[in-house]
Amino acid sequence: QVQLVESGGGLAQAGGSLRLSCAASRSIFTFNSMGWYRQAPGNQRDLVADITKSGSTNYADSLKGRFTISRDNAKNTVYLQMDSLKPEDTAVYYCNARNLRWNGNRDDYWGQGTQVTVSS
């Protein structure tokens, strides 16, 4: 088990920036990947970005160039830098920790989410 605590959400104006943090209760190096997802009202939860333990990153196509995921293993923390924010980025952002099993299944752990609201 792990506890994931997000912070850094809030209100931003279009064109502005926010930096989200996700602090884990144990070493994030024990997980295959760490990631950020978001969910707007009435929508499903979608991948924003993830980062493997080796540092490889993956982004939703629509967010490449505006969002940057990073990790600090010493602090057991994952970050999401969000620049050039748009009103459509408004959502609850969730931190994810994932382990892959030998049989292809996966164990997902989630934070409680942090609200990001972008005004036009």
Side-chain angles (χ1 to χ4, degrees), residues 82-112:
M82 305 185 294
D83 298 319
S84 302
L85 284 165
K86 303 177 181 180
E88 51 263 43
D89 294 320
T90 296
V92 178
Y93 285 70
Y94 295 92
C95 180
N96 169 266
R98 176 168 293 162
N99 270 332
L100 301 176
R101 299 186 186 182
W102 64 272
N103 60 2
N105 291 338
R106 63 193 193 193
D107 294 320
D108 280 319
Y109 303 92
W110 297 95
Q112 81 287 352

Side-chain angles (χ1 to χ4, degrees), residues 25-97:
S25 59
R26 63 178 175 93
S27 173
I28 61 174
F29 200 71
T30 63
F31 297 99
N32 293 110
S33 66
M34 301 291 297
W36 289 95
Y37 286 71
R38 69 184 184 183
Q39 186 169 20
N43 291 356
Q44 64 182 18
R45 190 175 296 187
D46 292 324
L47 174 71
V48 173
D50 58 27
I51 183 167
T52 67
K53 61 172 62 180
S54 65
S56 297
T57 58
N58 176 50
Y59 294 91
D61 287 342
S62 62
L63 300 177
K64 289 179 181 178
R66 294 197 298 122
F67 288 14
T68 304
I69 190 170
S70 61
R71 59 191 291 158
D72 186 332
N73 292 330
K75 294 183 178 180
N76 295 325
T77 301
V78 179
Y79 304 98
L80 183 69
Q81 178 67 41
M82 305 185 294
D83 298 319
S84 302
L85 284 165
K86 303 177 181 180
E88 51 263 43
D89 294 320
T90 296
V92 178
Y93 285 70
Y94 295 92
C95 180
N96 169 266

